[in-house]
Amino acid sequence: MRTPRHPLVPHPPRRGRPSRLLAGLVLTPFLAGCFAASGGEDGAASGSGDGSRLRVALAFPPAENLSPYGADATILSRLGVTEGLTTLDANGAAAPSLAASWRREDDRTWLFTLREAAFQDGTDVTPAAVAASLTHATEAEPAPAALSGVTLTAKAEGGTGVRVTTAAPDPVLPLRLSSPGLVVLAPKAYAKKGTVDPAGTATGPFRLTEVTGADAAGLDRFDDYWGGRAQASGVDVRFIADGTARANALRTGQVDLAEAIPVAQAATLDAGSRRETATTRTTSLLLNTRSGVFEDRALRAAARAAVDTSALAEGVYEGHADAGAGIYGPAVTWAEGKRVRPTGRAVAGRPGGAAITLATYDNRPELPEVAQVLKQQLEKAGFTVKLEVREYSRLESDALAGRFDAFVGARNSLLDTGDPLSLLASDFTCDGGYNLALLCDKAVDRAVGTARAAADTDERQNATMAAEAKVLGTDAVVPLVHQRVVTGVGAGVGGALLDPYERTLVGTGTRR
């Protein structure tokens, strides 16, 4: 049955707003890189004309009703709907967004000064609204990945300030608050208990106006956006899980932007339509350490020893990826020089035909191919492997519940907070909110805790790599490849925002 199309929110009245001087404290970068604006610089439009609507194909349909607290958060940020207090700049440092500036008052307290801005429902962005929005995020179940292991409180301070206090010192809090899962929404977003609705309640240059189930969404320009009027009048989004179909939609002119073009399809696009971006995304094999075959450390070691990562990088990814070196790849430029050799690994045992279920998703079309190659490698090592492939939204809950023995997934190490340590906390600690390996190891938790306490950049990086070594020593995860992604950009399209964190795609300067 066709899913009905629902209008979500009327257009709010437009109001003029004076700009404020931007002043920001920029933290020392964790990542050296740059954003690529396809066909021009991102910036506000001159204000003349309405502009054409953009047509965008995304790989992942909403899995959680577009809640910003889970996997759907990046859909909203990539489409220019939601914003947080901070963002990441081209070097991976915290930069102003809804907060014009901030300062650290003591080890556990930061004061953020807000810029003048409006929500898409026409109400003002006030300290009370911001504090309430952050409080709702802390109460979400499960908690956003950026808050894994972190307890914070937010309170309004005067007419422009928000004071954020953490239970333990958090030297990277401004980075953490850049997470797509910690966006600021109007009070109206939380009107229905137990849910959060970003439609017409966010602050970005485009406001969500309609959703057609998991098939499509519509966005209109938000004319009162603090960063200037967007050049496109709106965005029409299609969620196309099949990678070949996304490439075909771009090739035939049905869409203007298509994310995650499969390696096999990249060569079929005109050279001018392909944009390859080095990312901080790593494809990994995660092993269920809580139950089943891989509860046995020796069999996890056997699985790790069976994997040939070079065959994946050159074969499946056709050179558009690097063989897995660790949880952090080449795009985290300081990681390789600080990498620590894992210790305490178990001796590989004999699988003896042990039966396992290996799962992955097809939104990223290379993953089923990776899983098929892994199936062959694991069977050669003595495992009996059943392969299960689904669309991601139909797979995530079962993976988190431990219903598979092994899982192949692609994860951006800087997506959640911009701080590489946060990925270890959310994915590999006992209380981690995205712990697909279901790992609970006291040595790992201690190493992550030690790194969290480090304020000095060099010290924190060293401690992060020591924690990475502890995780790898458990054989709960086998890094496979570090990805470069291909985005399809139609002829005449400019200002696409391609960044290594995969948080952005459409901005005020994106146009056709």
Side-chain angles (χ1 to χ4, degrees), residues 209-365:
T209 57
E210 55 188 9
V211 175
T212 309
D215 297 324
L219 293 77
D220 288 343
R221 177 170 53 207
F222 174 42
D223 287 338
D224 205 20
Y225 178 55
W226 63 265
R229 191 168 181 258
Q231 294 189 26
S233 59
V235 184
D236 296 315
V237 185
R238 294 170 59 191
F239 299 105
I240 306 176
D242 182 80
T244 300
R246 285 196 304 278
N248 286 339
L250 182 81
R251 189 185 303 109
T252 58
Q254 297 176 54
V255 299
D256 304 305
L257 291 169
E259 71 170 359
I261 296 296
V263 169
Q265 295 293 319
T268 69
L269 300 180
D270 294 337
S273 297
R274 300 192 302 265
R275 303 287 191 276
E276 184 170 287
T277 309
T279 74
T280 55
R281 180 173 294 277
T282 296
T283 296
S284 299
L285 171 66
L286 295 132
L287 305 178
N288 181 348
T289 64
R290 181 179 296 173
S291 62
V293 170
F294 292 123
E295 190 176 5
D296 185 336
R297 290 175 62 101
L299 292 183
R300 296 204 299 268
R304 183 249 307 158
V307 174
D308 177 5
T309 58
S310 62
L312 300 172
E314 294 302 321
V316 175
Y317 286 89
E318 301 179 15
H320 293 279
D322 302 298
I327 293 171
Y328 309 109
V332 185
T333 55
W334 51 265
E336 185 58 36
K338 295 176 178 287
R339 204 174 300 281
V340 177
R341 182 182 295 274
T343 59
R345 277 176 162 163
V347 175
R350 294 181 179 274
I356 61 172
T357 299
L358 172 63
T360 193
Y361 46 96
D362 55 11
N363 306 73
R364 296 187 182 275

Side-chain angles (χ1 to χ4, degrees), residues 60 63 95 134 138 178 187 220-222 251 272 280 295 323 349 352 369-370 379 389 433 449 478-479 508:
F60 293 86
L134 292 176
T138 67
S178 74
D220 288 343
R221 177 170 53 207
F222 174 42
R251 189 185 303 109
T280 55
E295 190 176 5
E369 294 184 53
V370 169
E379 288 177 338
V389 179
V478 182
T508 55

Side-chain angles (χ1 to χ4, degrees), residues 85 108-110 112 130-140 143-155 162-170 172-179 181-183 417:
L85 286 178
R108 299 188 302 110
T109 307
W110 299 73
F112 293 82
V130 172
S133 193
L134 292 176
T135 299
H136 280 289
T138 67
E139 296 170 347
L147 293 181
S148 178
V150 176
T151 301
L152 64 78
T153 57
K155 296 185 181 301
V162 177
R163 180 170 282 107
V164 181
T165 303
T166 54
D170 187 8
V172 296
L173 183 67
L175 280 176
R176 190 178 306 284
L177 293 178
S178 74
S179 169
L182 297 180
V183 295
T417 67

Side-chain angles (χ1 to χ4, degrees), residues 49-61:
D50 286 336
S52 300
R53 292 183 67 85
L54 291 165
R55 301 163 300 167
V56 176
L58 298 185
F60 293 86

Side-chain angles (χ1 to χ4, degrees), residues 401-460:
R403 295 193 175 96
F404 309 117
D405 298 291
F407 183 85
V408 177
R411 186 87 158 100
N412 193 317
S413 60
L414 298 188
L415 178 65
D416 292 329
T417 67
D419 173 22
L421 178 65
S422 294
L423 177 126
L424 300 185
S426 67
D427 290 21
F428 300 107
T429 63
C430 295
D431 295 327
Y434 196 67
N435 190 345
L436 292 169
L438 301 173
L439 180 66
C440 187
D441 184 284
K442 291 181 180 179
V444 169
D445 280 20
R446 283 195 298 269
V448 171
T450 297
R452 269 204 178 113
D456 175 77
T457 299
D458 191 58
E459 180 185 356
R460 190 176 183 89

